[in-house]
Short mmCIF file of all heavy atoms in Angstrom, two decimals:
data_model
loop_
_atom_site.label_atom_id
_atom_site.label_comp_id
_atom_site.label_asym_id
_atom_site.label_seq_id
_atom_site.Cartn_x
_atom_site.Cartn_y
_atom_site.Cartn_z
N MET A 1 64.04 -37.77 -72.08
CA MET A 1 63.24 -37.02 -73.10
C MET A 1 63.33 -37.75 -74.46
O MET A 1 64.40 -38.33 -74.78
CB MET A 1 63.74 -35.62 -73.36
CG MET A 1 63.34 -34.60 -72.36
SD MET A 1 63.71 -32.88 -72.83
CE MET A 1 65.37 -32.83 -72.23
N ILE A 2 62.23 -37.90 -75.11
CA ILE A 2 62.15 -38.55 -76.46
C ILE A 2 62.08 -37.42 -77.50
O ILE A 2 61.39 -36.45 -77.30
CB ILE A 2 60.99 -39.50 -76.53
CG1 ILE A 2 61.12 -40.58 -75.45
CG2 ILE A 2 60.81 -40.07 -77.91
CD1 ILE A 2 59.90 -41.48 -75.30
N ALA A 3 62.82 -37.62 -78.62
CA ALA A 3 62.90 -36.51 -79.59
C ALA A 3 61.61 -35.98 -80.03
O ALA A 3 61.44 -34.86 -80.21
CB ALA A 3 63.74 -36.98 -80.83
N GLN A 4 60.58 -36.86 -80.13
CA GLN A 4 59.28 -36.42 -80.65
C GLN A 4 58.59 -35.64 -79.61
O GLN A 4 57.56 -34.82 -79.89
CB GLN A 4 58.33 -37.62 -80.99
CG GLN A 4 58.82 -38.35 -82.18
CD GLN A 4 60.04 -39.33 -82.03
OE1 GLN A 4 60.27 -39.62 -80.83
NE2 GLN A 4 60.67 -39.72 -83.08
N GLN A 5 58.93 -35.70 -78.33
CA GLN A 5 58.31 -34.96 -77.30
C GLN A 5 58.98 -33.57 -76.97
O GLN A 5 58.53 -32.78 -76.15
CB GLN A 5 58.44 -35.79 -76.00
CG GLN A 5 57.51 -37.01 -76.01
CD GLN A 5 57.71 -37.87 -74.84
OE1 GLN A 5 58.71 -37.74 -74.15
NE2 GLN A 5 56.67 -38.61 -74.56
N VAL A 6 60.14 -33.30 -77.59
CA VAL A 6 60.91 -32.22 -77.37
C VAL A 6 60.51 -31.09 -78.37
O VAL A 6 60.80 -31.26 -79.56
CB VAL A 6 62.46 -32.41 -77.37
CG1 VAL A 6 63.23 -31.14 -77.19
CG2 VAL A 6 62.77 -33.50 -76.40
N HIS A 7 59.90 -30.01 -77.92
CA HIS A 7 59.57 -29.05 -78.91
C HIS A 7 60.16 -27.61 -78.55
O HIS A 7 60.22 -26.76 -79.48
CB HIS A 7 57.97 -28.80 -78.82
CG HIS A 7 57.22 -30.04 -79.23
ND1 HIS A 7 57.27 -30.63 -80.45
CD2 HIS A 7 56.59 -30.90 -78.44
CE1 HIS A 7 56.56 -31.72 -80.47
NE2 HIS A 7 56.10 -31.94 -79.25
N PHE A 8 60.58 -27.45 -77.31
CA PHE A 8 61.15 -26.16 -76.91
C PHE A 8 62.54 -26.37 -76.26
O PHE A 8 62.76 -27.37 -75.54
CB PHE A 8 60.21 -25.42 -75.95
CG PHE A 8 58.92 -25.09 -76.57
CD1 PHE A 8 57.86 -25.95 -76.37
CD2 PHE A 8 58.75 -23.98 -77.29
CE1 PHE A 8 56.62 -25.67 -77.03
CE2 PHE A 8 57.55 -23.65 -77.87
CZ PHE A 8 56.46 -24.54 -77.74
N CYS A 9 63.40 -25.37 -76.44
CA CYS A 9 64.74 -25.44 -75.80
C CYS A 9 64.60 -25.30 -74.30
O CYS A 9 63.95 -24.45 -73.73
CB CYS A 9 65.66 -24.31 -76.33
SG CYS A 9 67.24 -24.27 -75.58
N PRO A 10 65.20 -26.25 -73.51
CA PRO A 10 65.16 -26.20 -72.03
C PRO A 10 65.95 -25.00 -71.46
O PRO A 10 65.86 -24.64 -70.33
CB PRO A 10 65.63 -27.52 -71.56
CG PRO A 10 66.58 -27.94 -72.64
CD PRO A 10 65.95 -27.44 -73.97
N CYS A 11 66.92 -24.43 -72.28
CA CYS A 11 67.75 -23.31 -71.84
C CYS A 11 67.05 -22.00 -72.03
O CYS A 11 67.15 -21.11 -71.23
CB CYS A 11 69.06 -23.41 -72.55
SG CYS A 11 70.02 -24.88 -72.40
N CYS A 12 66.46 -21.75 -73.26
CA CYS A 12 66.02 -20.44 -73.60
C CYS A 12 64.52 -20.44 -74.03
O CYS A 12 63.94 -19.44 -74.34
CB CYS A 12 66.85 -19.82 -74.73
SG CYS A 12 66.71 -20.60 -76.29
N ARG A 13 63.82 -21.59 -74.05
CA ARG A 13 62.47 -21.84 -74.34
C ARG A 13 62.11 -21.45 -75.77
O ARG A 13 60.86 -21.26 -76.13
CB ARG A 13 61.59 -21.03 -73.37
CG ARG A 13 61.72 -21.53 -71.93
CD ARG A 13 60.98 -20.69 -71.01
NE ARG A 13 61.74 -19.44 -70.66
CZ ARG A 13 61.33 -18.58 -69.88
NH1 ARG A 13 60.26 -18.75 -69.17
NH2 ARG A 13 62.04 -17.57 -69.67
N THR A 14 63.10 -21.37 -76.69
CA THR A 14 62.79 -21.17 -78.09
C THR A 14 62.34 -22.41 -78.75
O THR A 14 62.77 -23.47 -78.46
CB THR A 14 64.06 -20.62 -78.79
OG1 THR A 14 64.56 -19.39 -78.16
CG2 THR A 14 63.91 -20.42 -80.25
N PRO A 15 61.31 -22.30 -79.74
CA PRO A 15 60.82 -23.51 -80.36
C PRO A 15 62.08 -24.09 -81.16
O PRO A 15 62.89 -23.40 -81.82
CB PRO A 15 59.86 -22.99 -81.42
CG PRO A 15 59.31 -21.75 -80.79
CD PRO A 15 60.48 -21.19 -79.98
N LEU A 16 62.18 -25.43 -81.12
CA LEU A 16 63.35 -26.08 -81.72
C LEU A 16 63.08 -26.27 -83.26
O LEU A 16 61.98 -26.33 -83.68
CB LEU A 16 63.48 -27.47 -81.09
CG LEU A 16 63.89 -27.43 -79.64
CD1 LEU A 16 63.96 -28.87 -79.11
CD2 LEU A 16 65.17 -26.66 -79.31
N SER A 17 64.15 -26.29 -83.97
CA SER A 17 64.13 -26.69 -85.39
C SER A 17 64.95 -27.92 -85.60
O SER A 17 65.85 -28.26 -84.79
CB SER A 17 64.51 -25.52 -86.26
OG SER A 17 65.89 -25.23 -85.99
N GLN A 18 64.80 -28.56 -86.77
CA GLN A 18 65.59 -29.77 -87.14
C GLN A 18 66.65 -29.33 -88.05
O GLN A 18 66.42 -28.76 -89.07
CB GLN A 18 64.66 -30.80 -87.87
CG GLN A 18 63.59 -31.28 -87.06
CD GLN A 18 64.03 -32.38 -86.04
OE1 GLN A 18 65.01 -33.09 -86.28
NE2 GLN A 18 63.40 -32.30 -84.89
N GLU A 19 67.94 -29.61 -87.68
CA GLU A 19 69.09 -29.27 -88.42
C GLU A 19 70.14 -30.44 -88.42
O GLU A 19 70.09 -31.18 -87.44
CB GLU A 19 69.69 -28.01 -87.94
CG GLU A 19 68.93 -26.84 -88.15
CD GLU A 19 69.61 -25.53 -87.85
OE1 GLU A 19 70.96 -25.53 -87.86
OE2 GLU A 19 69.02 -24.53 -87.66
N GLN A 20 70.82 -30.52 -89.47
CA GLN A 20 71.91 -31.60 -89.55
C GLN A 20 73.07 -31.21 -88.53
O GLN A 20 73.71 -30.13 -88.78
CB GLN A 20 72.41 -31.61 -90.97
CG GLN A 20 73.31 -32.83 -91.28
CD GLN A 20 72.50 -34.11 -91.30
OE1 GLN A 20 71.33 -34.15 -91.56
NE2 GLN A 20 73.19 -35.31 -91.05
N ARG A 21 73.28 -32.01 -87.55
CA ARG A 21 74.36 -31.76 -86.62
C ARG A 21 75.00 -33.07 -86.15
O ARG A 21 74.21 -34.01 -85.92
CB ARG A 21 73.87 -31.07 -85.37
CG ARG A 21 73.39 -29.69 -85.51
CD ARG A 21 74.48 -28.66 -85.78
NE ARG A 21 74.07 -27.46 -86.31
CZ ARG A 21 73.82 -26.37 -85.58
NH1 ARG A 21 73.95 -26.39 -84.27
NH2 ARG A 21 73.34 -25.21 -86.10
N PHE A 22 76.26 -33.20 -86.10
CA PHE A 22 77.04 -34.32 -85.73
C PHE A 22 76.59 -35.61 -86.37
O PHE A 22 76.26 -36.67 -85.84
CB PHE A 22 76.87 -34.53 -84.21
CG PHE A 22 77.24 -33.28 -83.41
CD1 PHE A 22 76.22 -32.49 -82.85
CD2 PHE A 22 78.59 -32.84 -83.36
CE1 PHE A 22 76.58 -31.28 -82.16
CE2 PHE A 22 78.89 -31.70 -82.66
CZ PHE A 22 77.91 -30.97 -82.04
N GLY A 23 76.34 -35.50 -87.76
CA GLY A 23 76.09 -36.69 -88.60
C GLY A 23 74.59 -37.03 -88.76
O GLY A 23 74.35 -38.08 -89.41
N ARG A 24 73.70 -36.33 -88.09
CA ARG A 24 72.25 -36.68 -88.29
C ARG A 24 71.39 -35.56 -87.97
O ARG A 24 71.83 -34.57 -87.48
CB ARG A 24 71.87 -37.89 -87.46
CG ARG A 24 72.03 -37.66 -85.93
CD ARG A 24 71.91 -38.84 -85.17
NE ARG A 24 70.47 -39.21 -85.00
CZ ARG A 24 69.97 -40.04 -84.20
NH1 ARG A 24 70.77 -40.77 -83.34
NH2 ARG A 24 68.69 -40.27 -84.12
N LEU A 25 70.15 -35.63 -88.41
CA LEU A 25 69.13 -34.55 -88.17
C LEU A 25 68.74 -34.53 -86.73
O LEU A 25 68.34 -35.69 -86.22
CB LEU A 25 67.90 -34.77 -89.06
CG LEU A 25 67.05 -33.69 -89.41
CD1 LEU A 25 67.84 -32.60 -90.14
CD2 LEU A 25 65.85 -34.09 -90.20
N ARG A 26 68.91 -33.42 -86.02
CA ARG A 26 68.63 -33.38 -84.58
C ARG A 26 67.93 -32.12 -84.26
O ARG A 26 68.00 -31.06 -84.94
CB ARG A 26 69.94 -33.27 -83.85
CG ARG A 26 70.83 -34.48 -83.95
CD ARG A 26 72.13 -34.22 -83.26
NE ARG A 26 73.08 -35.35 -83.40
CZ ARG A 26 73.08 -36.52 -82.87
NH1 ARG A 26 72.23 -36.81 -81.88
NH2 ARG A 26 73.96 -37.39 -83.18
N PRO A 27 67.09 -32.15 -83.23
CA PRO A 27 66.39 -30.90 -82.80
C PRO A 27 67.46 -29.97 -82.21
O PRO A 27 68.16 -30.37 -81.36
CB PRO A 27 65.32 -31.31 -81.71
CG PRO A 27 65.28 -32.80 -81.92
CD PRO A 27 66.59 -33.35 -82.51
N ILE A 28 67.38 -28.66 -82.63
CA ILE A 28 68.34 -27.68 -82.09
C ILE A 28 67.57 -26.38 -81.83
O ILE A 28 66.57 -26.13 -82.42
CB ILE A 28 69.56 -27.39 -83.03
CG1 ILE A 28 69.15 -26.71 -84.27
CG2 ILE A 28 70.23 -28.79 -83.36
CD1 ILE A 28 69.95 -25.44 -84.41
N SER A 29 68.15 -25.63 -80.93
CA SER A 29 67.63 -24.26 -80.59
C SER A 29 68.29 -23.36 -81.54
O SER A 29 69.55 -23.15 -81.55
CB SER A 29 67.92 -23.94 -79.24
OG SER A 29 67.59 -22.52 -79.02
N PRO A 30 67.52 -22.61 -82.46
CA PRO A 30 68.21 -21.67 -83.36
C PRO A 30 68.70 -20.45 -82.62
O PRO A 30 69.52 -19.67 -83.09
CB PRO A 30 67.10 -21.25 -84.32
CG PRO A 30 65.85 -21.61 -83.70
CD PRO A 30 66.15 -22.75 -82.73
N ALA A 31 68.22 -20.18 -81.35
CA ALA A 31 68.59 -19.04 -80.58
C ALA A 31 69.88 -19.23 -79.83
O ALA A 31 70.78 -18.33 -79.84
CB ALA A 31 67.49 -18.63 -79.54
N CYS A 32 70.11 -20.44 -79.19
CA CYS A 32 71.28 -20.59 -78.35
C CYS A 32 72.20 -21.69 -78.76
O CYS A 32 73.30 -21.92 -78.34
CB CYS A 32 70.96 -20.75 -76.91
SG CYS A 32 70.21 -22.36 -76.47
N GLY A 33 71.79 -22.51 -79.77
CA GLY A 33 72.61 -23.57 -80.28
C GLY A 33 72.46 -24.87 -79.60
O GLY A 33 73.19 -25.83 -79.80
N TRP A 34 71.58 -24.94 -78.53
CA TRP A 34 71.47 -26.19 -77.70
C TRP A 34 71.00 -27.27 -78.69
O TRP A 34 70.23 -27.16 -79.56
CB TRP A 34 70.39 -26.06 -76.63
CG TRP A 34 70.08 -27.22 -75.79
CD1 TRP A 34 70.85 -27.65 -74.78
CD2 TRP A 34 69.10 -28.12 -76.00
NE1 TRP A 34 70.34 -28.69 -74.22
CE2 TRP A 34 69.22 -29.14 -74.95
CE3 TRP A 34 68.05 -28.31 -76.81
CZ2 TRP A 34 68.36 -30.21 -74.80
CZ3 TRP A 34 67.15 -29.35 -76.69
CH2 TRP A 34 67.35 -30.25 -75.73
N VAL A 35 71.62 -28.52 -78.51
CA VAL A 35 71.35 -29.69 -79.36
C VAL A 35 70.79 -30.78 -78.48
O VAL A 35 71.30 -31.05 -77.48
CB VAL A 35 72.64 -30.16 -80.05
CG1 VAL A 35 72.27 -31.35 -81.02
CG2 VAL A 35 73.24 -29.10 -80.86
N PHE A 36 69.60 -31.35 -78.95
CA PHE A 36 69.05 -32.45 -78.27
C PHE A 36 69.65 -33.82 -78.79
O PHE A 36 69.62 -34.00 -79.88
CB PHE A 36 67.51 -32.51 -78.52
CG PHE A 36 66.91 -33.73 -77.88
CD1 PHE A 36 66.76 -33.83 -76.58
CD2 PHE A 36 66.45 -34.81 -78.61
CE1 PHE A 36 66.20 -34.95 -75.95
CE2 PHE A 36 65.86 -35.86 -78.16
CZ PHE A 36 65.76 -35.99 -76.75
N PHE A 37 70.17 -34.57 -77.86
CA PHE A 37 70.76 -35.90 -78.12
C PHE A 37 69.81 -36.93 -77.51
O PHE A 37 69.61 -37.04 -76.28
CB PHE A 37 72.14 -36.03 -77.50
CG PHE A 37 73.14 -35.16 -78.24
CD1 PHE A 37 73.43 -33.96 -77.72
CD2 PHE A 37 73.89 -35.61 -79.31
CE1 PHE A 37 74.38 -33.12 -78.30
CE2 PHE A 37 74.78 -34.88 -79.93
CZ PHE A 37 75.08 -33.64 -79.45
N PRO A 38 69.14 -37.68 -78.38
CA PRO A 38 68.03 -38.57 -77.92
C PRO A 38 68.43 -39.77 -77.13
O PRO A 38 67.53 -40.34 -76.47
CB PRO A 38 67.24 -38.91 -79.18
CG PRO A 38 68.32 -38.86 -80.28
CD PRO A 38 69.21 -37.80 -79.86
N ASP A 39 69.57 -40.19 -77.24
CA ASP A 39 69.99 -41.46 -76.54
C ASP A 39 71.21 -41.31 -75.68
O ASP A 39 72.30 -41.70 -75.99
CB ASP A 39 70.18 -42.59 -77.57
CG ASP A 39 71.23 -42.26 -78.61
OD1 ASP A 39 71.62 -40.97 -78.65
OD2 ASP A 39 71.73 -43.16 -79.30
N PRO A 40 71.08 -40.64 -74.55
CA PRO A 40 72.25 -40.40 -73.73
C PRO A 40 72.70 -41.69 -73.14
O PRO A 40 71.98 -42.63 -72.91
CB PRO A 40 71.70 -39.49 -72.52
CG PRO A 40 70.19 -39.76 -72.56
CD PRO A 40 69.83 -40.12 -73.92
N GLN A 41 74.01 -41.80 -72.99
CA GLN A 41 74.64 -43.06 -72.50
C GLN A 41 74.76 -42.96 -71.04
O GLN A 41 75.09 -41.87 -70.50
CB GLN A 41 76.06 -43.22 -73.22
CG GLN A 41 75.96 -43.28 -74.65
CD GLN A 41 75.15 -44.50 -75.20
OE1 GLN A 41 75.45 -45.63 -74.79
NE2 GLN A 41 74.16 -44.23 -76.04
N VAL A 42 74.65 -44.12 -70.33
CA VAL A 42 74.89 -44.23 -68.98
C VAL A 42 76.40 -44.05 -68.63
O VAL A 42 77.22 -44.68 -69.37
CB VAL A 42 74.32 -45.50 -68.31
CG1 VAL A 42 74.71 -45.61 -66.85
CG2 VAL A 42 72.85 -45.51 -68.58
N ALA A 43 76.82 -43.30 -67.62
CA ALA A 43 78.18 -43.08 -67.35
C ALA A 43 78.45 -42.96 -65.88
O ALA A 43 77.46 -42.72 -65.11
CB ALA A 43 78.74 -41.88 -68.10
N ALA A 44 79.72 -43.20 -65.46
CA ALA A 44 80.01 -43.02 -64.07
C ALA A 44 81.34 -42.15 -64.05
O ALA A 44 82.07 -42.19 -65.05
CB ALA A 44 80.24 -44.28 -63.37
N ALA A 45 81.51 -41.40 -63.05
CA ALA A 45 82.80 -40.52 -62.95
C ALA A 45 83.14 -40.50 -61.48
O ALA A 45 82.32 -40.69 -60.51
CB ALA A 45 82.44 -39.09 -63.51
N ALA A 46 84.37 -40.10 -61.30
CA ALA A 46 85.01 -39.95 -59.98
C ALA A 46 85.61 -38.50 -59.96
O ALA A 46 86.19 -38.19 -61.03
CB ALA A 46 85.99 -41.05 -59.65
N VAL A 47 85.61 -37.86 -58.86
CA VAL A 47 86.15 -36.57 -58.74
C VAL A 47 87.53 -36.81 -58.03
O VAL A 47 87.57 -37.38 -56.98
CB VAL A 47 85.28 -35.57 -57.96
CG1 VAL A 47 86.00 -34.24 -57.79
CG2 VAL A 47 83.93 -35.41 -58.66
N LEU A 48 88.59 -36.43 -58.74
CA LEU A 48 89.91 -36.49 -58.20
C LEU A 48 90.42 -35.17 -57.68
O LEU A 48 90.36 -34.20 -58.37
CB LEU A 48 90.96 -37.02 -59.25
CG LEU A 48 90.57 -38.46 -59.90
CD1 LEU A 48 91.60 -38.70 -61.00
CD2 LEU A 48 90.54 -39.51 -58.87
N THR A 49 90.93 -35.20 -56.44
CA THR A 49 91.39 -33.89 -55.84
C THR A 49 92.82 -34.13 -55.34
O THR A 49 93.16 -35.28 -55.07
CB THR A 49 90.48 -33.45 -54.65
OG1 THR A 49 90.52 -34.52 -53.63
CG2 THR A 49 89.15 -33.23 -55.09
N ASN A 50 93.54 -33.11 -55.30
CA ASN A 50 94.82 -33.18 -54.68
C ASN A 50 94.74 -32.72 -53.15
O ASN A 50 93.68 -32.44 -52.66
CB ASN A 50 95.94 -32.33 -55.44
CG ASN A 50 95.52 -30.82 -55.43
OD1 ASN A 50 94.73 -30.33 -54.70
ND2 ASN A 50 96.27 -30.10 -56.28
N GLN A 51 95.97 -32.65 -52.50
CA GLN A 51 95.88 -32.36 -51.04
C GLN A 51 95.37 -30.92 -50.79
O GLN A 51 94.97 -30.62 -49.66
CB GLN A 51 97.31 -32.56 -50.47
CG GLN A 51 97.63 -34.01 -50.41
CD GLN A 51 98.99 -34.27 -49.76
OE1 GLN A 51 99.90 -33.40 -49.72
NE2 GLN A 51 99.18 -35.45 -49.34
N ALA A 52 95.44 -30.03 -51.77
CA ALA A 52 94.98 -28.67 -51.56
C ALA A 52 93.41 -28.55 -51.87
O ALA A 52 92.84 -27.51 -51.72
CB ALA A 52 95.71 -27.72 -52.50
N GLY A 53 92.80 -29.69 -52.20
CA GLY A 53 91.40 -29.73 -52.58
C GLY A 53 91.06 -29.28 -53.96
O GLY A 53 89.87 -29.03 -54.32
N GLU A 54 92.01 -29.18 -54.82
CA GLU A 54 91.80 -28.78 -56.18
C GLU A 54 91.28 -29.94 -57.02
O GLU A 54 91.73 -31.10 -56.81
CB GLU A 54 93.10 -28.23 -56.87
CG GLU A 54 93.57 -26.89 -56.18
CD GLU A 54 94.97 -26.62 -56.60
OE1 GLU A 54 95.86 -27.42 -56.75
OE2 GLU A 54 95.20 -25.32 -56.73
N VAL A 55 90.31 -29.78 -57.88
CA VAL A 55 89.74 -30.82 -58.69
C VAL A 55 90.49 -31.07 -59.99
O VAL A 55 90.79 -30.07 -60.68
CB VAL A 55 88.28 -30.52 -58.94
CG1 VAL A 55 87.58 -31.55 -59.86
CG2 VAL A 55 87.44 -30.48 -57.65
N LEU A 56 90.78 -32.28 -60.35
CA LEU A 56 91.48 -32.53 -61.62
C LEU A 56 90.42 -32.53 -62.78
O LEU A 56 89.39 -33.29 -62.70
CB LEU A 56 92.17 -33.93 -61.64
CG LEU A 56 92.71 -34.36 -62.96
CD1 LEU A 56 93.81 -33.34 -63.41
CD2 LEU A 56 93.22 -35.78 -62.87
N LEU A 57 90.59 -31.66 -63.74
CA LEU A 57 89.82 -31.58 -64.95
C LEU A 57 90.62 -31.60 -66.19
O LEU A 57 91.81 -31.29 -66.16
CB LEU A 57 88.98 -30.16 -65.00
CG LEU A 57 88.04 -29.99 -63.84
CD1 LEU A 57 87.44 -28.53 -63.94
CD2 LEU A 57 86.99 -30.92 -63.91
N VAL A 58 90.09 -32.14 -67.30
CA VAL A 58 90.76 -32.16 -68.56
C VAL A 58 89.92 -31.55 -69.71
O VAL A 58 88.67 -31.50 -69.44
CB VAL A 58 91.08 -33.64 -68.91
CG1 VAL A 58 92.01 -34.24 -67.87
CG2 VAL A 58 89.88 -34.48 -69.08
N PRO A 59 90.55 -31.03 -70.79
CA PRO A 59 89.78 -30.45 -71.78
C PRO A 59 89.12 -31.49 -72.68
O PRO A 59 89.71 -32.59 -72.95
CB PRO A 59 90.75 -29.62 -72.57
CG PRO A 59 92.02 -30.30 -72.28
CD PRO A 59 92.01 -30.75 -70.88
N ARG A 60 87.88 -31.22 -73.11
CA ARG A 60 87.21 -32.14 -74.06
C ARG A 60 87.94 -32.14 -75.39
O ARG A 60 88.31 -31.13 -75.88
CB ARG A 60 85.73 -31.66 -74.34
CG ARG A 60 84.84 -31.97 -73.18
CD ARG A 60 83.37 -31.60 -73.53
NE ARG A 60 82.92 -32.09 -74.64
CZ ARG A 60 82.31 -33.29 -74.79
NH1 ARG A 60 82.06 -34.04 -73.66
NH2 ARG A 60 81.91 -33.78 -75.91
N ALA A 61 88.01 -33.38 -75.94
CA ALA A 61 88.74 -33.50 -77.27
C ALA A 61 87.81 -33.37 -78.42
O ALA A 61 88.16 -33.15 -79.56
CB ALA A 61 89.55 -34.83 -77.28
N ASN A 62 86.56 -33.62 -78.14
CA ASN A 62 85.52 -33.73 -79.28
C ASN A 62 84.34 -32.82 -79.09
O ASN A 62 84.03 -32.29 -78.01
CB ASN A 62 84.94 -35.14 -79.34
CG ASN A 62 86.03 -36.26 -79.57
OD1 ASN A 62 86.85 -36.05 -80.43
ND2 ASN A 62 86.09 -37.20 -78.78
N GLU A 63 83.69 -32.48 -80.28
CA GLU A 63 82.52 -31.76 -80.22
C GLU A 63 81.35 -32.51 -79.68
O GLU A 63 81.41 -33.74 -79.86
CB GLU A 63 82.17 -31.22 -81.68
CG GLU A 63 83.19 -30.28 -82.24
CD GLU A 63 83.26 -28.97 -81.49
OE1 GLU A 63 82.30 -28.61 -80.75
OE2 GLU A 63 84.30 -28.26 -81.72
N PRO A 64 80.36 -31.94 -79.06
CA PRO A 64 80.22 -30.64 -78.85
C PRO A 64 81.04 -30.10 -77.60
O PRO A 64 81.47 -30.92 -76.87
CB PRO A 64 78.72 -30.36 -78.51
CG PRO A 64 78.35 -31.72 -77.90
CD PRO A 64 79.20 -32.77 -78.60
N HIS A 65 81.32 -28.83 -77.62
CA HIS A 65 82.07 -28.21 -76.52
C HIS A 65 83.50 -28.61 -76.48
O HIS A 65 84.17 -28.71 -75.35
CB HIS A 65 81.34 -28.45 -75.20
CG HIS A 65 79.88 -28.08 -75.18
ND1 HIS A 65 79.45 -26.80 -75.32
CD2 HIS A 65 78.83 -28.84 -75.03
CE1 HIS A 65 78.14 -26.81 -75.25
NE2 HIS A 65 77.80 -28.02 -75.14
N ARG A 66 84.14 -28.81 -77.62
CA ARG A 66 85.58 -29.08 -77.67
C ARG A 66 86.33 -28.09 -76.92
O ARG A 66 86.09 -26.87 -77.13
CB ARG A 66 86.05 -29.24 -79.03
CG ARG A 66 87.53 -29.53 -79.22
CD ARG A 66 88.02 -29.36 -80.63
NE ARG A 66 87.19 -30.17 -81.56
CZ ARG A 66 87.63 -31.11 -82.29
NH1 ARG A 66 88.90 -31.43 -82.32
NH2 ARG A 66 86.85 -31.77 -83.03
N GLY A 67 87.27 -28.47 -76.09
CA GLY A 67 88.13 -27.61 -75.36
C GLY A 67 87.55 -27.14 -74.01
O GLY A 67 88.25 -26.66 -73.16
N CYS A 68 86.24 -27.40 -73.74
CA CYS A 68 85.68 -27.11 -72.39
C CYS A 68 86.20 -28.08 -71.31
O CYS A 68 86.54 -29.18 -71.70
CB CYS A 68 84.09 -27.24 -72.53
SG CYS A 68 83.42 -25.84 -73.50
N TRP A 69 86.22 -27.75 -70.18
CA TRP A 69 86.62 -28.68 -69.11
C TRP A 69 85.72 -29.65 -68.72
O TRP A 69 84.50 -29.48 -68.72
CB TRP A 69 87.09 -27.77 -67.84
CG TRP A 69 88.16 -26.88 -68.11
CD1 TRP A 69 88.05 -25.56 -68.24
CD2 TRP A 69 89.55 -27.13 -68.32
NE1 TRP A 69 89.34 -24.91 -68.49
CE2 TRP A 69 90.21 -25.94 -68.50
CE3 TRP A 69 90.31 -28.31 -68.24
CZ2 TRP A 69 91.62 -25.90 -68.77
CZ3 TRP A 69 91.66 -28.32 -68.46
CH2 TRP A 69 92.23 -27.00 -68.73
N ARG A 70 86.17 -30.88 -68.41
CA ARG A 70 85.37 -32.04 -68.02
C ARG A 70 86.17 -32.93 -67.01
O ARG A 70 87.29 -32.77 -66.93
CB ARG A 70 84.92 -32.84 -69.23
CG ARG A 70 86.10 -33.56 -69.90
CD ARG A 70 85.63 -34.52 -70.95
NE ARG A 70 86.71 -35.17 -71.62
CZ ARG A 70 87.31 -36.22 -71.13
NH1 ARG A 70 86.91 -36.79 -69.99
NH2 ARG A 70 88.37 -36.76 -71.79
N LEU A 71 85.44 -33.79 -66.37
CA LEU A 71 86.13 -34.84 -65.51
C LEU A 71 86.85 -35.85 -66.39
O LEU A 71 86.28 -36.19 -67.46
CB LEU A 71 85.07 -35.54 -64.67
CG LEU A 71 84.38 -34.69 -63.69
CD1 LEU A 71 83.23 -35.45 -62.97
CD2 LEU A 71 85.34 -34.10 -62.66
N PRO A 72 87.99 -36.35 -65.97
CA PRO A 72 88.68 -37.37 -66.77
C PRO A 72 88.01 -38.70 -66.79
O PRO A 72 87.28 -39.00 -65.86
CB PRO A 72 90.04 -37.51 -66.09
CG PRO A 72 89.81 -37.00 -64.74
CD PRO A 72 88.74 -36.03 -64.78
N GLU A 73 88.16 -39.45 -67.83
CA GLU A 73 87.48 -40.85 -67.91
C GLU A 73 88.44 -41.80 -67.47
O GLU A 73 89.68 -41.72 -67.55
CB GLU A 73 87.08 -41.17 -69.32
CG GLU A 73 85.99 -40.22 -69.80
CD GLU A 73 85.57 -40.40 -71.20
OE1 GLU A 73 85.88 -41.52 -71.79
OE2 GLU A 73 84.99 -39.60 -71.85
ZN1 LIG B 101 68.03 -22.36 -76.35
#
């Protein structure tokens, strides 16, 4: 998605507004707080499990979603 093409929140379909977030003006949903990031980075991940089949997750250190669970890098 390109920022100029994003007009509605993909989560709640509310029209987006421009607000200062994470150091720059970004399209955000005033209803649910979803933030559009125009330049996602390519990434790879591996899922680590123990012998019981439990998945290793770690808490995010940074915003957005600080403290939410994610895969380790
Ligand atoms: Zn929304």
Side-chain angles (χ1 to χ4, degrees):
M1 281 191 274
I2 299 173
Q4 291 79 15
Q5 296 174 335
V6 179
H7 301 290
F8 297 93
C9 176
C11 300
C12 67
R13 296 178 280 185
T14 299
L16 298 177
S17 62
Q18 297 284 325
E19 292 187 19
Q20 192 73 21
R21 295 289 167 92
F22 308 106
R24 61 190 282 195
L25 205 58
R26 299 178 188 276
I28 71 124
S29 169
C32 73
W34 180 83
V35 180
F36 176 72
F37 291 92
D39 55 349
Q41 302 297 310
V42 176
V47 177
L48 302 176
T49 60
N50 63 13
Q51 291 181 339
E54 298 169 318
V55 176
L56 175 63
L57 297 174
V58 296
R60 284 183 57 87
N62 301 311
E63 295 295 342
H65 307 296
R66 181 190 306 243
C68 292
W69 296 106
R70 66 172 180 84
L71 296 172
E73 295 177 18

